[in-house]
Amino acid sequence: MPVISKKGLKMPESPIRKLVPYAENAKKNGVHVFHLNIGQPDIKTPQVALDAVKNNSIKTLSYARSEGSEEYRTKLSKYYQKNEINVSEKDLIITTGGSEALLFTIGSITDPDDEIIIPEPFYANYNGFSTASGVKVVPVNSKFEDNFALPKIEEFEKLITEKTKAILICNPGNPTGYLYSKEEIEKLKKIVLKHDLFLIADEVYREFTYDGLKHTSVLSIEGLENNAIVIDSVSKRYSMCGARIGCIVSKNEEFIKTAIKFAQARLSPPTYALIASEAALDTPQSYFDEVIEEYVERRNTLTQELEKIEGVSVAKPKGAFYCVVQLPVKDTDHFAQWILEKFNSNNQTIMVAPASGFYSTEGEGKNQVRIAYVLNKKDLIRSVEILKEALEAYPN
C-alpha cells in the first residue's frame, strides 16, 4: 500500500468547510440551513465586472502573463495610490486568489522548519498554507477580553528565534473583525526592523471599516519598504469570491523577483477573471458606501441580538464581516455538528464555524464560534433565535 506523506496527514481540516456534509444532509432532509459559517457575501457583484465578461469578444482564450496583464496591474496600482499606497505595476503579482498569494509569499521567504509568528485566532488556512510549505506557525495569543487587540510587543519578542522569518497579520481581521490602529502597525514596524523580518499583512477586507475608523496599510508606513508584503484579493471587496483573483504587493524587488518564479511555475491566472477584476476597478464609491452601511447595520443587529442570550459574549468587530462569539458550551466543534445533525426549529437550523480551527494552540477557542454576518438582517435575527433555542436544547 503506497504511503501518504506526513505533510499530507498533518494538513488541517477547514473549520469553515469540514461540516459541509452535515449541512448537505440536513438540506436533503428538508431543513433550511442559514450559513453563518463562511464569508460568502450575498452582496451583488458590480454589474460592470459581469458585463466585461458577458460582452467580451475573445476568439481564443489565451494564457495571461504569469504576473497578470500589464493593463490590470497598472490600473490596480492606481487604486492603491488612491489609498495612500505608493506602488507601481512592477510591485504587483496577480495570483489565483489571496490563497495563492500567501502560498507564493511563504514559498519565497521561508525554508522548511522556518517559523512565522501570527496573532491568534487567525484565518484558518494560514495553518494549512504553512503546513503545505513545511513551515511552523508560532502563535501569539490575542485575548477575547481585549477584543483581540495586538498582543504586547514583549510577547512577540519572546517568540523570535533564528528560525523566525516573518510576522503575519490580517487587517481587518478574519475571524475577529479587529482593526489594527496605525499605532499598532508602528509597533510591529519597530520589531520587524529590529529583527530583520518580513511583515505580511492580509488586507483583503481593507474597504470594510466601521465607526469612522480608517485602515492603515503596512505599505503606507515609511521605512517598511523592504519588509512589508501585502496580500490582497477581489473576493470580498467586490463580492467576487468565485473569480479567484488576488495579488501580492511589495516594494521589495528581490522578493517580487522570487515570487514571480512561483507564478511562472503555475503558468497564469485565469483570463476571464482578470477581465472581470480589471473592470471591477471602475466600481463607483457609492457601491462601497452602501455596502459598508449595510454591514454596519448587520453587525449591530447581530451583536445586539446575541447579547440578549444568557451566557453568550461577543467581541465587537471594527471591520470585515465576522465576529467571534463565546457560547456556554464546552466544545463548539461538537455543538456545531449537533445543531446540523440533531436539531432544527420549524425545519430551520444554522451552520457556524467552530473557532478552535482558527487557533494554533491546542485547546484554545473550544467555547467559541466565528459568525459571518453576510446574511440580511431578517435572516440574522432568525438565526440568533435558532441559536438560542439550540443552546437551551443542547445536552452540554
Side-chain angles (χ1 to χ4, degrees):
M1 180 78 175
V3 178
I4 300 299
S5 70
K6 292 178 182 177
K7 182 170 63 177
L9 294 172
K10 286 180 180 178
M11 277 293 287
E13 289 184 300
S14 167
I16 305 162
R17 295 175 178 267
K18 69 180 182 181
L19 297 174
V20 166
Y22 302 102
E24 293 304 312
N25 284 338
K27 292 173 188 176
K28 287 175 183 176
N29 291 326
V31 177
H32 177 81
V33 179
F34 290 102
H35 283 274
L36 305 173
N37 63 303
I38 193 165
Q40 171 58 65
D42 64 351
I43 304 296
K44 287 185 177 179
T45 302
Q47 193 61 42
V48 65
L50 299 175
D51 288 344
V53 175
K54 188 186 302 181
N55 301 329
N56 202 279
S57 58
I58 287 176
K59 297 294 189 291
T60 301
L61 196 58
S62 309
Y63 287 123
R65 283 180 61 174
S66 293
E67 59 268 54
S69 68
E70 187 167 353
E71 293 82 5
Y72 178 43
R73 287 182 293 115
T74 299
K75 196 170 178 180
L76 186 56
S77 69
K78 291 177 181 176
Y79 156 81
Y80 287 117
Q81 290 163 18
K82 287 179 185 176
N83 285 276
E84 301 176 4
I85 300 170
N86 185 26
V87 293
S88 73
E89 74 281 359
K90 295 177 182 177
D91 304 316
L92 304 172
I93 298 174
I94 308 305
T95 58
T96 309
S99 300
E100 189 176 73
L102 274 161
L103 282 167
F104 288 179
T105 297
I106 293 171
S108 298
I109 68 172
T110 65
D111 291 308
D113 298 324
D114 280 341
E115 299 172 353
I116 296 177
I117 298 174
I118 314 177
E120 65 175 356
F122 51 73
Y123 176 48
N125 282 334
Y126 296 163
N127 272 326
F129 300 145
S130 299
T131 300
S133 301
V135 172
K136 181 182 177 183
V137 168
V138 178
V140 54
N141 191 257
S142 60
K143 300 185 182 301
F144 183 94
E145 297 74 21
D146 297 333
N147 220 35
F148 299 110
L150 186 76
K152 292 180 180 179
I153 290 301
E154 294 78 23
E155 298 302 311
F156 286 89
E157 289 272 12
K158 292 176 187 175
L159 300 172
I160 293 173
T161 71
E162 60 181 16
K163 294 271 188 184
T164 307
K165 291 299 175 70
I167 294 172
L168 168 58
I169 61 170
C170 186
N171 190 32
N174 174 8
T176 64
Y178 185 77
L179 178 69
Y180 291 112
S181 66
K182 185 175 181 180
E183 291 71 25
E184 287 173 313
I185 301 297
E186 289 283 358
K187 288 179 181 179
L188 289 171
K189 170 187 171 180
K190 289 180 182 178
I191 195 169
V192 298
L193 291 179
K194 176 182 176 182
H195 295 279
D196 205 19
L197 306 174
F198 285 101
L199 178 56
I200 308 167
D202 183 343
E203 297 184 355
V204 303
Y205 300 96
R206 179 186 300 109
E207 260 72 20
F208 307 115
T209 63
Y210 314 129
D211 306 327
L213 298 172
K214 186 180 178 183
H215 177 261
T216 300
S217 173
V218 295
L219 282 168
S220 68
I221 302 295
E222 190 175 344
L224 277 177
E225 290 79 9
N226 286 323
N227 303 74
I229 301 169
V230 162
I231 305 299
D232 209 347
S233 169
V234 303
S235 292
K236 316 300 181 179
R237 181 171 301 129
Y238 304 111
S239 195
M240 288 172 59
C241 296
R244 309 312 306 136
I245 292 292
C247 67
I248 302 169
V249 194
S250 180
K251 298 288 287 183
N252 185 314
E253 293 181 14
E254 195 63 31
F255 164 72
I256 289 292
K257 191 187 301 181
T258 304
I260 283 175
K261 291 187 282 187
F262 285 84
Q264 290 169 346
R266 67 80 166 96
L267 304 186
S268 68
T271 299
Y272 270 130
L274 281 171
I275 290 168
S277 300
E278 182 178 339
L281 287 166
D282 293 325
T283 303
Q285 182 58 40
S286 58
Y287 172 88
F288 298 107
D289 294 340
E290 291 173 11
V291 171
I292 290 168
E293 183 179 347
E294 176 66 22
Y295 278 135
V296 168
E297 290 181 10
R298 292 180 181 188
R299 178 199 65 171
N300 294 343
T301 297
L302 176 66
T303 55
Q304 287 164 12
E305 293 301 311
L306 285 168
E307 286 168 350
K308 293 176 184 177
I309 305 176
E310 186 178 352
V312 171
S313 302
V314 188
K316 192 171 183 180
K318 300 177 181 180
F321 36 70
Y322 308 101
C323 63
V324 173
V325 184
Q326 285 193 167
L327 302 180
V329 301
K330 295 176 182 176
D331 185 347
T332 53
D333 283 273
H334 183 271
F335 176 72
Q337 182 175 328
W338 174 87
I339 206 171
L340 291 169
E341 273 194 305
K342 308 288 186 183
F343 178 85
N344 73 79
S345 170
N346 294 325
N347 279 331
Q348 295 178 325
T349 194
I350 60 173
M351 186 175 183
V352 294
S356 60
F358 296 93
Y359 288 83
S360 185
T361 302
E362 188 71 29
E364 289 288 342
K366 293 296 288 182
N367 66 335
Q368 299 172 356
V369 295
R370 185 195 75 169
I371 291 179
Y373 45 96
V374 292
L375 304 180
N376 63 62
K377 293 187 287 293
K378 180 183 175 183
D379 287 349
L380 286 173
I381 291 170
R382 177 60 184 143
S383 295
V384 177
E385 288 176 354
I386 294 168
L387 175 63
K388 182 176 185 293
E389 292 177 30
L391 287 170
E392 291 170 351
Y394 181 58
N396 194 3

